[in-house]
Amino acid sequence: MKAKETDTRKAARPGIAVVTGAGSGIGRAVAGELLRAGWSVALTGRRAEALEETAALAPEGAAALTVRTDVSRPEDVDALFAATVERFGRVDLLFNNAGTFGPGGVPVEELPYEAWRHVVDTNLNGAFLCAQAAYRQMKEQSPQGGRIINNGSISAHTPRPHSVAYTATKHALTGLTKSLSLDGRPYGIAVGQIDIGNAATDMTSRMRTGALQANGEVTPEPVMDVADVARTVRHMAELPLEANVQFATVLATAMPYVGRG
């Protein structure tokens, strides 16, 4: 199939974004950053009330659509992108952010299969389903193309103790990012990944009181403002489509990552 003409400069300006996991944390911060920058944003997550709270943070005149979605369910993902296109006409950006740590601190030999499956279904299968739906839309729309940014985590590089399910899915996301990036080239679909370490959210609040280290000690870790992550995602999103940040790592400067273990 011949690729359609791609308007790379137009796609670089604020357009239509889908943000998964937008009800809290990094997803809420990124959605707010995009809305303030003039993007129209479809906010999606499992909790409708939390999505409405995110939408309420949008500046006057900003266009926000809330769609309750379980990203592990193909029918939910199809409905999300159908609703987005019906409201806004196209999709220029997917921030593939929805994820879960799963049960924390559980040794691999004690991890229930159900817990493993839940993490894989959310972090990996959900990311694939959303990327696939975005890819289909971006390939067929006119002007053709768009951008997908996957939230990888520094656990895509180095694990924490007792994090086998989370770490395995985040390593797999790197492969997903690379494969989508390659396959998207003919259609003006740019795909990158942001790997985040210790952004200050409710999910990372335990880091400040103490996190298990590889040597068995429990040590408080520094965190960074989640707004710094949001600004990085916006920078990646607003590049022209002929430019791509393939991988970006944003982390609290003094956290024990470089040299971890």
Side-chain angles (χ1 to χ4, degrees):
M1 178 179 176
K2 184 180 179 181
K4 299 178 183 178
E5 183 179 356
T6 303
D7 184 347
T8 58
R9 302 307 304 187
K10 184 175 182 180
R13 297 196 296 269
I16 312 304
V18 174
V19 177
T20 70
S24 63
I26 291 169
R28 175 173 286 181
V30 169
E33 179 73 17
L34 293 174
L35 285 163
R36 289 188 295 273
W39 288 75
S40 300
V41 183
L43 311 167
T44 184
R46 294 185 179 185
R47 297 177 294 134
E49 183 178 339
L51 295 175
E52 293 297 338
E53 291 172 357
T54 300
L57 300 175
E60 184 177 355
L65 170 69
T66 62
V67 185
R68 185 182 180 278
T69 306
D70 179 345
V71 296
S72 69
R73 297 171 59 87
E75 60 272 26
D76 279 21
V77 173
D78 289 343
L80 163 65
F81 281 85
T84 302
V85 174
E86 180 180 3
R87 171 73 180 275
F88 298 121
R90 59 182 289 115
V91 175
D92 297 301
L93 171 68
L94 165 66
F95 181 44
N96 227 347
N97 167 71
T100 179
F101 286 127
V106 179
V108 61
E109 69 273 17
E110 298 176 12
L111 184 70
Y113 173 73
E114 293 76 14
W116 165 272
R117 181 62 182 268
H118 175 63
V119 176
V120 172
D121 280 345
T122 303
N123 295 5
L124 180 56
N125 294 341
F128 163 74
L129 289 171
C130 289
Q132 182 184 55
Y135 187 102
R136 287 169 174 163
Q137 174 60 32
M138 291 171 179
K139 182 178 176 182
E140 296 303 321
Q141 65 195 10
S142 182
Q144 189 182 59
R147 189 180 304 274
I148 299 169
I149 301 173
N150 294 323
N151 183 346
S153 167
I154 59 172
S155 288
H157 305 271
T158 304
R160 288 187 178 276
H162 307 319
S163 66
V164 63
Y166 185 75
T167 299
T169 58
K170 292 303 185 177
H171 274 66
L173 271 178
T174 299
L176 180 69
T177 298
K178 290 179 178 180
S179 189
L180 289 169
S181 183
L182 176 61
D183 292 344
R185 286 177 184 174
Y187 311 109
I189 301 172
V191 185
Q193 180 170 310
I194 183 167
D195 297 324
I196 303 162
N198 287 15
T201 67
D202 290 342
M203 291 181 70
T204 60
S205 59
R206 62 185 178 86
M207 302 295 179
R208 284 169 278 190
T209 57
L212 180 64
Q213 306 298 312
N215 63 1
E217 296 180 358
V218 176
T219 305
E221 294 188 11
V223 297
M224 63 176 171
D225 193 330
V226 70
D228 296 322
V229 175
R231 284 192 291 269
T232 304
V233 172
R234 178 185 165 193
H235 167 70
M236 295 169 71
E238 293 186 348
L239 288 171
L241 288 177
E242 65 259 23
N244 187 41
V245 176
Q246 188 70 72
F247 293 98
T249 302
V250 184
L251 72 165
T253 303
M255 70 174 292
Y257 166 59
V258 178
R260 185 192 295 181

